[in-house]
Amino acid sequence: MALTKITLQNFRNHAASELSDSAQFNLLVGENGAGKTNVLEAISLLSPGRGLRRAQLADLALRKTPDAEPGVFAIGASLVEQGQTSARLGTFTEPERPTRRMVRINGAEATASALSEWLAISWLTPSMDGLFTDSAGARRRFVDRMALAIEPGHAKHVTSLEAALRERNKLLETGGDARWLDAIEAQAAQHGAVVSAHRSRLIALLADELSALPPEPFARPILSYRPGGPTDVAELLASLARERRRDRAAGRALSGPHRDELDVVMAVSGHAAATCSTGEQKAMLIAITLAHGVLAASGRPSVLLLDEVAAHLDPGRRSELFRRLRIGRAQVWMTGTELAPFAEIEAEAAVWRVSNGELERL
């Protein structure tokens, strides 16, 4: 088990909700707009980043309650390992600083990156169905989210790389001090090489896990990592220095880890994922998510958030989905408008009915 006693205060349409006595399978059922996905989003914010909706903080707080502080919300959860509570994780905003997300671990102030040292969280939502036809940046974010399950410090390096590249862009534009530019490029090269190494290792592990799967019932994808430039520290540093004039004209660095790409091909047909049917793309995305769930559960406690994933699968694929989720051993949170698609696991699941931001344990 991973998370229990999850509390939401003034979050989205939840004024005060609590989910206790969770299980490996946890089901949230209710009508569309009831607040099911809001619970998943709250859980996703117990990890670095902006959560499964990538929402702005100002959009997260409940605004309908007269006594609720404007722009203020709180999310907390107990992390349970081998039957014992190992940590209390929390994230929140304060009236004095509503635009800054705060984090506490066991009551002590911490960084959002520190959350990944305790828990690995990944998700699959309907908005991700177009991942293979989306931008390369969307696929990099997808890869980086999965990499956190393997390398807890990955988020720090991604953030540092992005900050260094932004600063480099400013210096190139304004003609800043060359010595400062050298220092910024050294930071970008150092963090960039680590980011590349983490991504490459993740894709290799996923590829191995996927290679052992049958091609059906979920279309098996073949993954490969395509670097956007040099991956070695020295080579990346030399490239940044060499391409200053070109990058200044472009207004951005044209090569490096920020240009990496995830290539996906359907094993049976050999077609690029972007050219496959919508159903085939969804099946490959589920296969990747399940393979990652196995990897994530082999280290720290892990949580998998699946929004409306079962309703669009036929009975055979649903059964296989549940079977593989059991093998993965991650704690799973799923949403649906009715219980029928979850009949196979209902007896072993913790179930809540969600209605207008309120929860009822079934």
Side-chain angles (χ1 to χ4, degrees):
M1 190 179 296
L3 294 177
T4 191
K5 199 177 180 182
I6 302 167
T7 57
L8 285 67
Q9 295 288 332
N10 298 326
F11 184 80
R12 295 287 192 183
N13 69 336
H14 290 266
S17 294
E18 179 173 319
L19 301 95
S20 297
D21 300 323
S22 57
Q24 181 186 10
F25 289 120
N26 301 275
L27 308 179
L28 302 165
V29 295
E31 297 179 354
N32 292 328
K36 305 183 300 296
T37 304
N38 293 341
V39 175
L40 299 192
E41 182 181 25
I43 296 173
S44 75
L45 286 167
L46 296 174
S47 65
R50 290 165 53 184
L52 59 78
R53 283 191 176 115
R54 293 184 55 78
Q56 299 291 332
L57 286 178
D59 297 327
L60 299 179
L62 178 68
R63 299 176 183 177
K64 296 180 181 179
T65 305
D67 56 352
E69 290 278 3
V72 176
F73 69 86
I75 302 162
S78 295
L79 178 62
V80 175
E81 299 179 74
Q82 298 180 344
Q84 299 294 321
T85 300
S86 59
R88 181 69 183 173
L89 310 176
T91 187
F92 58 96
T93 54
E94 299 177 323
E96 302 81 11
R97 294 178 288 182
T99 60
R100 181 182 176 188
R101 182 159 79 99
M102 309 294 291
V103 171
R104 285 202 181 122
I105 300 175
N106 291 328
E109 189 170 329
T111 64
S113 296
L115 290 167
S116 63
E117 299 173 8
W118 291 87
L119 183 67
I121 301 181
S122 55
W123 52 78
L124 183 60
T125 69
S127 65
M128 295 167 62
D129 286 355
L131 180 71
F132 302 127
T133 56
D134 205 337
S135 67
R139 286 184 290 279
R140 282 191 294 273
R141 288 193 296 271
F142 178 63
V143 169
D144 288 336
R145 169 59 51 191
M146 291 191 293
L148 278 174
I150 312 302
E151 303 287 351
H154 182 71
K156 295 180 184 177
H157 292 288
V158 171
T159 300
S160 297
L161 169 63
E162 292 173 347
L165 289 175
R166 284 195 300 269
E167 184 63 25
R168 178 179 181 267
N169 290 342
K170 292 178 183 178
L171 289 170
L172 289 175
E173 181 182 356
T174 60
D177 189 299
R179 290 173 298 179
W180 183 240
L181 187 57
D182 289 341
I184 289 297
E185 288 179 345
Q187 291 179 25
Q190 188 68 44
H191 293 292
V194 175
V195 168
S196 294
H198 288 174
R199 289 172 177 168
S200 179
R201 179 169 179 253
L202 167 72
I203 299 306
L205 290 171
L206 280 174
D208 285 345
E209 191 67 38
L210 287 165
S211 68
L213 297 178
E216 293 293 340
F218 297 112
R220 179 163 61 86
I222 299 174
L223 309 184
S224 59
Y225 167 69
R226 177 156 46 97
T231 58
D232 174 79
V233 175
E235 292 179 359
L236 182 51
L237 182 59
S239 174
L240 290 169
R242 184 173 59 250
E243 302 297 344
R244 287 177 182 177
R245 180 176 297 180
R246 181 193 68 169
D247 292 348
R248 179 181 181 182
R252 64 189 188 281
L254 295 177
S255 67
H258 58 293
R259 308 279 288 184
D260 289 351
E261 178 61 286
L262 170 66
D263 290 326
V264 182
V265 173
M266 186 174 173
V268 173
S269 67
H271 295 156
T275 66
C276 292
S277 70
T278 301
E280 290 170 335
Q281 291 185 34
K282 178 75 171 183
M284 285 188 281
L285 191 54
I286 291 175
I288 293 172
T289 302
L290 293 173
H292 179 256
V294 174
L295 294 176
S298 64
R300 288 155 292 140
S302 64
V303 173
L304 182 56
L305 311 174
L306 301 176
D307 193 16
E308 299 289 350
V309 71
H312 304 293
L313 298 176
D314 60 52
R317 285 188 170 89
R318 278 202 301 267
S319 182
E320 179 64 10
L321 170 68
F322 299 145
R323 187 187 72 81
R324 292 192 191 179
L325 289 173
R326 287 191 188 93
I327 294 173
R329 300 189 306 280
Q331 185 184 49
V332 184
W333 292 80
M334 291 182 279
T335 65
T337 56
E338 56 184 0
L339 274 173
F342 306 104
E344 185 176 333
I345 60 169
E346 182 180 353
E348 60 189 286
V351 184
W352 289 266
R353 183 168 297 283
V354 187
S355 178
N356 296 320
E358 296 185 355
L359 302 175
E360 177 190 3
R361 181 66 179 262
L362 299 181

